[in-house]
Amino acid sequence: MDDVDAVQAQIARNMLASGDWVTARLDGVAYLEKAPLVYWMMAVSYRIFGVHDWAARLPLALAVVLLCWVTYRFGCWAFNREAGLFAGIALATSVGLFLFTRILIPDAMLTLAITGAIWVWLRLLERDLVTELRWAAVLGSCLGIGMLLKGLIALVFPLTAGLAYMAVTQQILSANAWRRLHLGIVAAVTLAIAAPWHVLATLRNPPYFALSMHSGPGEYHGFFWFYFVNEHLLRFLNLRYPRDYNTVPRLWFWLLNLVWIFPWSVYLLGSRALSFQTDSRAGRVRLMALCWIGTVMLFFSFSTTQEYYSMPIYPALALLVGSALNSGNRWVPIGTRALLALFALLFVALSTILLLVWRQPAPGDIAGALTQHSELYTLSLGHIRDLTLDAFAYLKAPLGLAAFAFGAGAMGLLASRRSVRRTVLVVAASMVLFFQAARLALVRFQDYLGSYPLAGSLQQSPPGQLIEADAYYAFSSVFFYTGRSARLLNGRENNLEYGSHAPGAPDVFIDDARFISLWNESARYYLITYGTDLPHLEELVGRANLRVVRKNADNYLLTNHPLP
């Protein structure tokens, strides 16, 4: 793991080691921008299984399984068992859920909380069911847990979707509908879960309140201002500092959801022929799904976006897909024929690339065959543009497996096109094979995208203090796998910049002058750096004083004294 993965994992490790479960820290610096529940779950996993990368990923993996199961159960309740099964399978084998759960981010867990909240909201409004107070408590739990995962957005999406649904169904002015929601219990449970951490974090990281709407370098206004004003409000307005993020163009943000829910997006048209009337539970759930999708997409149409920000709508799309497949209307065979053509096209394209690079050698690591588009790396999938035809010579096995997955899938669809159940099984099996191919490709990119080999070499080297020639995120896996802290050379930026100005913040940031002084001491120091920074470092201390311990892709582990 590297980048955000190792950062999240290291925060959880620091919490476990320090006993401070309120204020997240990296390299001793307060990291105030994220809610803590994902760190708590990883820390508990460490306590049970030990500090391992797989233990850090375990809570997210379990949450994804639970998300697919909840979507299945939601579909069973809304439609029938078969439609629920189709919805669960569609979500579990969609491209987006696979891609964006390779990263240790809380969005899949947030999606689970939102899905649970929306389902319970519908249950509470059902007139033919006895309204039980426990369901109001479950709704409050989903909202409170969501807030501890990703802040106020966990309230905004389900509440706005629920209110939009009530407005469309003319229940917004119904006193009986509001009584059924038991909002007093919902609010009490939500506050009981979410408020304690927010209060403690505010008290432990003063000043308590600041009214400034300006966000800039060198400012420190405590936790409350940074978390609620800077990270929520100013980020929504694209005025947050530091601006260490990018945004996907609005049109692409909408259209890419057809990719994220692929291959099942071809069946979404089938939902057009279904009822969205409120005279049946199925119609009411489909209508809620539209409110759900519209709420999330409209919100982000006015805010900054990453590719995975639309993940909360995946279960809604899966429910529409499941109900469409179960209906067997005329759009289903049309979708199957379209998918057959797409699978065949992907088979031809991947096979052609494989033939073009079959005899091409693949010396060294893949880094030498890639291009650099550093301006895109603030997007989640920014590295995709780095791929070249030469790079596929290093990916022959994944290419072959992916081509087989789509070729076999096309033949399977041709043979099973008259049976919806067999079609669903064929598509799901094809995607499982494709995901395995994608996993093999990601492993091939590990050395290019990560710094794990540098961590291994540092562990095997003589003792010495560590310096990193960049921001913390650049080589975060070195810190996680070695359990070390470091001085950060010219690294007072991005996520740690704000916390570095807090009272009592550790003095871990050094400039060029301080680096020269340390590097010329008799004590041993190690430096991890990008190759692009080497010319500047050579100007500071001389090429002869930068001794290479390990080179990995264009990343270096250097030391100031000869190794024994």
Side-chain angles (χ1 to χ4, degrees), residues 122-135:
L122 278 171
R123 290 188 71 110
L124 289 170
L125 290 177
E126 285 290 287
R127 296 185 180 90
D128 58 338
L129 295 178
V130 176
T131 301
E132 298 186 30
L133 297 183
R134 65 188 177 106
W135 287 113

Side-chain angles (χ1 to χ4, degrees), residues 480-530:
F480 175 74
Y481 286 109
T482 63
R484 299 196 189 194
S485 58
R487 290 182 170 90
L488 304 177
L489 173 58
N490 300 322
R492 194 173 193 165
E493 59 183 34
N494 296 342
N495 305 78
L496 292 187
E497 197 270 342
Y498 183 77
S500 71
H501 299 291
D507 185 21
V508 297
F509 301 95
I510 61 175
D511 57 15
D512 287 349
R514 179 64 174 147
F515 169 69
I516 294 172
S517 174
L518 293 172
W519 203 252
N520 288 322
E521 289 181 0
S522 59
R524 181 178 297 282
Y525 284 89
Y526 293 98
L527 175 71
I528 43 178
T529 183
Y530 292 131

Side-chain angles (χ1 to χ4, degrees), residues 163-368:
L163 291 174
Y165 171 80
M166 291 178 69
V168 171
T169 57
Q170 300 181 352
Q171 298 181 79
I172 198 73
L173 299 178
S174 168
N176 182 56
W178 287 107
R179 280 195 298 270
R180 295 181 69 84
L181 288 174
H182 296 285
L183 292 183
I185 294 174
V186 173
V189 174
T190 301
L191 288 173
I193 293 172
W197 173 77
H198 289 88
V199 172
L200 283 173
T202 300
L203 294 176
R204 292 190 185 182
N205 297 278
Y208 302 145
F209 302 105
L211 300 177
S212 173
M213 288 295 289
H214 177 265
S215 179
E219 298 183 5
Y220 184 79
H221 302 299
F223 163 79
F224 188 90
W225 178 86
F226 187 78
Y227 185 77
F228 286 106
V229 178
N230 196 50
E231 188 62 21
H232 281 78
L233 178 59
L234 296 183
R235 188 178 186 118
F236 176 81
L237 298 173
N238 201 21
L239 298 174
R240 172 189 181 268
Y241 179 86
R243 199 182 187 285
D244 53 357
Y245 54 90
N246 209 328
T247 189
V248 180
R250 298 294 179 271
L251 179 61
W252 283 110
F253 182 70
W254 280 75
L255 292 179
L256 281 172
N257 286 292
L258 297 176
V259 177
W260 307 147
I261 203 68
F262 181 84
W264 307 99
S265 45
V266 298
Y267 295 109
L268 282 173
L269 279 177
S271 63
R272 289 182 55 194
L274 303 179
S275 171
F276 289 81
Q277 299 299 314
T278 58
D279 55 354
S280 69
R281 180 184 292 175
R284 292 192 290 273
V285 171
R286 294 187 197 104
L287 184 59
M288 174 62 94
L290 293 184
C291 296
W292 179 354
I293 294 166
T295 294
V296 174
M297 297 306 295
L298 284 174
F299 178 89
F300 284 121
S301 293
F302 296 97
S303 179
T304 57
T305 56
Q306 287 282 331
E307 300 95 320
Y308 56 83
Y309 279 10
S310 64
M311 190 184 293
I313 74 170
Y314 295 177
L317 293 171
L319 288 169
L320 293 177
V321 167
S323 63
L325 285 167
N326 180 245
S327 72
N329 63 51
R330 67 184 184 87
W331 290 100
V332 173
I334 292 174
T336 299
R337 287 195 292 271
L339 193 57
L340 193 159
L342 285 170
F343 273 24
L345 183 62
L346 287 168
F347 168 73
V348 171
L350 293 170
S351 299
T352 300
I353 295 173
L354 183 59
L355 289 173
L356 289 173
V357 301
W358 184 254
R359 296 185 180 277
Q360 188 170 322
D365 60 54
I366 197 171

